[in-house]
């Protein structure tokens, strides 16, 4: 059925006379949100309401007012949220122009006036937005991690590929015969990159620590690292500017957080001057 | 805007504020709204029910319902006055229908006084009421006066007596289709008669 053909039915609905399947069909159509028919309905209802305003007003007896107010006082009632306050501030309106204006708007703006969000839909949308915000924050954190990893990977690749980078092999000292490690060092950039494998877990409350040992014997802590389940661990270290020529690299196990001087067992070690 | 229309818009704005205050639990706002609208609503319930105690009860119940459920009013759907009238008419018609089943005759005969007796003369020139409500009443009377008696009767039977369109058809002894177009035609004439008032902005 076309909307033009619904005009009689809308007029009947607006004055309360529509019945049966015609009423059901029209209400279904209106529920689907036809802005044009909803606009006509609002206008028609407002127009018919004038029939009431045309009646000569009759003052109700005073006792009716008193009884009402007394009844109201007896009924405690929580504050309600008026629909008027839930949406945008109401535009200035006159009593009867409003439905007409709304109807005209509805017809012209194809439903803008009718799709004023209800409080429930606003809440649902807000919940959805909050959910999306959370997912976004998680994705954002993940993205930052990946970006950081990628920067490190690029840096490492360029570092490892640099002509000045030398590779030193650290061998097992007997505590862990299968363990091994390589250290990539660039004396110009004063950078070192450790890649260890087949190391056992250092045990609860302990960690591995890399040492730069100068030819003179001074032991410089280069940083701590942990190993994964497969026994692999990595560490990027900066060679201190005041460090003299480094002769030996060693890895010990230390209390978590590391030590300033080696206290644990040496598991891997390599002589730099010997290997280069 | 004339000062009259400005005050009219203000009054409509106040209605919305009163409904908001009622929703917030302000009993004073309820009595203010009652003082403003009860006479018109009482006239409506009297017209529908033709029974003074029942009409009083419905008016009281409507305001009590407003007190309990003022949050149901949605300003986006129409004016507060239209809402009050719609709610009152609906409750009065329900009451009327409940009582109707107890009566032998569904409605009084067509010789029953029509709108002329209820709202006075159908001559729009006869009313020179300076109030806004008077202007509206005059315009509605003028529109009703321009309808044929049977057309006017169809609109009144539906609006004030709560008859369904088939009941209106039976009452008037006319085919359904004719009744439908009569009511629509009545609506159009009412709307056209009210249009100049709406456009001037002078509204209750």
């Amino acid at each position: 059925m076309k909307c033009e053909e619904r005009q009689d039915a809308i007029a009947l609905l607006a004055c309360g006379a529509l019945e049966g399947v015609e009423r059901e069909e029209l209400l279904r159509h209106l529920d689907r949100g036809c802005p044009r028919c909803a606009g006509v309905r609002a206008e028609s209802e407002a127009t018919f309401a004038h029939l009431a305003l045309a009646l000569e007003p009759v003052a109700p007896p005073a006792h009716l007012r008193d009884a009402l107010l007394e009844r109201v006082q007896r009924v405690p009632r929580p504050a309600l949220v008026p629909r008027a306050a839930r949406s945008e501030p109401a535009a200035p309106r006159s009593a009867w122009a409003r439905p007409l204006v709304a109807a005209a708007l509805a017809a012209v703006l194809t439903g803008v006036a009718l799709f004023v969000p209800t409080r429930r839909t606003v809440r649902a949308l807000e919940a959805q937005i909050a959910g999306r915000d959370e997912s976004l924050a998680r994705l954002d954190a993940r993205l930052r991690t990946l970006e950081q990893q990628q920067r490190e990977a690029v840096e490492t690749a360029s570092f490892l590929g640099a002509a000045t980078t030398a590779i030193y092999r650290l061998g097992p000292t007997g505590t862990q015969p299968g363990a091994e490690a390589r250290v990539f060092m660039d004396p110009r950039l004063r950078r070192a990159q450790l890649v260890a494998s087949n190391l056992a877990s250092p045990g609860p409350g302990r960690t591995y620590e890399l040492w730069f040992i100068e030819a003179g014997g001074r032991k410089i802590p280069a940083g701590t690292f942990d190993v994964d389940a497969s026994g692999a661990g990595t560490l990027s270290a900066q060679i201190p500017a005041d460090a003299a020529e480094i002769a030996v690299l060693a890895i010990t196990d230390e209390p978590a957080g590391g030590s300033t001087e080696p206290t644990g067992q040496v598991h891997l070690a390599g002589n730099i001057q010997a290997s280069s | 805007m004339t000062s009259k229309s400005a005050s009219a818009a203000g009054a409509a704005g106040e209605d919305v504020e009163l409904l908001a205050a009622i929703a917030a639990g302000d009993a004073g706002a309820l009595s203010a709204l009652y003082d403003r609208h009860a006479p018109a609503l009482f006239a409506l319930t009297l017209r529908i029910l033709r029974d003074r105690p029942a009409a009083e009860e419905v008016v009281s119940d409507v305001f009590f319902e407003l007190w309990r459920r003022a949050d149901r009013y949605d300003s986006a759907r129409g004016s507060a006055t239209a809402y009050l009238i719609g709610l009152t008419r609906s409750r009065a018609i329900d009451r009327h229908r409940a009582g109707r089943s107890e009566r032998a005759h569904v409605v009084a005969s067509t010789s029953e006084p029509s709108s002329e007796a209820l709202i006075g003369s159908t001559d729009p020139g006869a009313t020179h009421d300076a109030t806004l409500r008077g202007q509206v009443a005059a315009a509605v009377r003028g529109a009703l006066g321009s309808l044929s008696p049977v057309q006017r009767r169809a609109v009144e039977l539906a609006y004030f007596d709560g008859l369904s369109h088939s009941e209106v058809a039976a009452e008037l002894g006319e085919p359904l289709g004719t009744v439908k177009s009569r009511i629509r035609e009545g609506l159009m004439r009412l709307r056209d008669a009210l249009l100049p008032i709406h456009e001037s902005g002078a509204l209750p």
Side-chain angles (χ1 to χ4, degrees):
Chain A
M1 191 190 280
K2 288 180 183 166
C3 289
E4 289 84 41
E5 297 167 325
R6 301 183 203 272
Q7 303 301 303
D8 279 357
I10 293 172
L12 289 172
L13 182 73
C15 70
L18 195 63
E19 62 185 338
V21 287
E22 288 175 81
R23 184 167 188 273
E24 286 164 25
E25 195 279 332
L26 181 58
L27 290 177
R28 266 201 306 276
H29 176 68
L30 288 164
D31 276 349
R32 282 196 294 270
C34 173
R36 182 180 166 187
C37 289
V40 174
R41 179 197 193 179
E43 189 200 41
S44 303
E45 285 176 347
T47 301
F48 277 128
H50 285 79
L51 291 170
L53 287 185
L55 299 169
E56 202 59 54
V58 183
H63 69 79
L64 194 68
R65 185 183 195 277
D66 299 340
L68 171 72
L69 295 178
E70 196 196 326
R71 193 177 169 194
V72 160
Q73 296 298 341
R74 278 203 313 268
V75 181
R77 202 215 60 197
L80 309 163
V81 179
R83 290 185 190 197
R86 289 171 203 156
S87 46
E88 294 297 304
R93 82 206 60 141
S94 56
W96 298 107
R98 183 65 198 280
L100 292 173
V101 169
L105 269 180
V108 172
L109 301 179
T110 333
V112 168
L114 296 163
F115 294 122
V116 175
T118 64
R119 189 185 178 204
R120 198 179 307 156
T121 56
V122 166
R123 275 190 179 166
L125 288 171
E126 281 171 353
Q128 272 184 21
I129 290 169
R132 301 269 154 85
D133 280 352
E134 247 172 64
S135 313
L136 261 182
R138 276 197 302 272
L139 286 171
D140 203 38
R142 176 92 185 113
L143 180 64
R144 277 197 300 273
T145 307
L146 288 170
E147 281 175 346
Q148 177 63 26
Q149 287 175 351
Q150 195 230 2
R151 265 197 306 276
E152 286 171 6
V154 167
E155 226 172 281
T156 304
S158 73
F159 163 65
L160 297 181
T164 48
T165 299
I167 306 169
Y168 305 105
R169 183 177 169 277
L170 279 63
T173 56
T175 55
Q176 299 188 47
E180 59 174 341
R182 283 179 172 75
V183 176
F184 302 80
M185 289 183 72
D186 185 335
R188 187 177 51 87
L189 296 173
R190 307 195 75 80
R191 271 199 61 182
Q193 175 73 42
L194 164 78
V195 181
S197 54
N198 293 327
L199 274 169
S201 163
R206 297 192 71 81
T207 187
Y208 287 112
E209 189 160 10
L210 174 69
W211 303 92
F212 298 133
I213 302 170
E214 294 173 346
R218 182 165 76 114
K219 301 173 186 73
I220 305 166
T224 61
F225 64 95
D226 291 306
V227 293
D228 63 17
S230 74
T234 61
L235 173 70
S236 288
Q238 200 67 36
I239 302 165
D242 65 347
E245 193 185 356
I246 293 166
V248 175
L249 295 167
I251 292 171
T252 62
D253 67 287
E254 300 293 334
S259 309
T260 50
E261 285 287 326
T263 60
Q265 280 188 300
V266 178
H267 300 284
L268 287 163
N271 190 319
I272 283 183
Q273 282 157 334
S275 353
S276 61
Chain B
M1 290 277 277
T2 63
S3 58
K4 189 181 282 179
S5 61
S7 67
E14 276 176 49
D15 278 347
V16 174
E17 285 158 23
L18 286 177
L19 281 165
I22 291 166
D26 181 351
L30 186 76
S31 60
L33 198 75
Y34 179 92
D35 292 341
R36 181 176 295 168
H37 293 289
L41 300 180
F42 187 45
L44 176 61
T45 57
L46 271 177
R47 169 66 183 81
I48 292 170
L49 292 163
R50 298 159 197 267
D51 174 340
R52 219 178 153 90
E56 287 177 7
E57 209 175 300
V58 169
V59 168
S60 181
D61 286 349
V62 162
F63 279 95
F64 189 65
E65 186 177 342
L66 272 178
W67 171 248
R68 292 183 56 238
R69 297 311 314 264
D71 60 327
R72 282 194 185 153
Y73 168 65
D74 183 356
S75 64
R77 272 215 63 206
S79 76
T81 312
Y83 176 72
L84 288 173
I85 289 173
L87 185 64
T88 305
R89 178 187 170 275
S90 164
R91 296 293 176 266
I93 294 285
D94 288 348
R95 177 76 177 253
H96 180 57
R97 284 187 180 142
R100 211 168 70 187
S101 60
E102 297 163 12
R103 291 194 293 270
H105 296 287
V106 167
V107 287
S109 73
T110 48
S111 63
E112 181 185 331
S114 182
S115 56
E116 288 156 56
L118 286 154
I119 61 176
S121 168
T122 53
D123 173 11
T127 303
H128 300 288
D129 197 331
T131 68
L132 296 169
R133 183 154 279 165
Q135 285 182 35
V136 168
V140 174
R141 279 172 209 154
L144 285 173
S146 73
L147 302 180
S148 70
V150 68
Q151 204 161 31
R152 188 167 66 216
R153 191 89 185 105
V155 169
E156 288 174 350
L157 284 171
Y159 191 78
F160 289 122
D161 295 302
L163 297 199
S164 67
H165 63 276
S166 58
E167 288 170 331
V168 174
E171 177 67 23
L172 297 179
E174 292 203 311
L176 259 184
T178 309
V179 165
K180 288 184 188 175
S181 51
R182 281 198 196 291
I183 289 179
R184 168 121 190 268
E185 175 71 15
L187 170 70
M188 306 294 269
R189 292 211 181 187
L190 267 179
R191 196 194 61 186
D192 291 348
L194 294 166
L195 220 51
I197 302 185
H198 292 312
E199 283 171 351
S200 74
L203 300 164

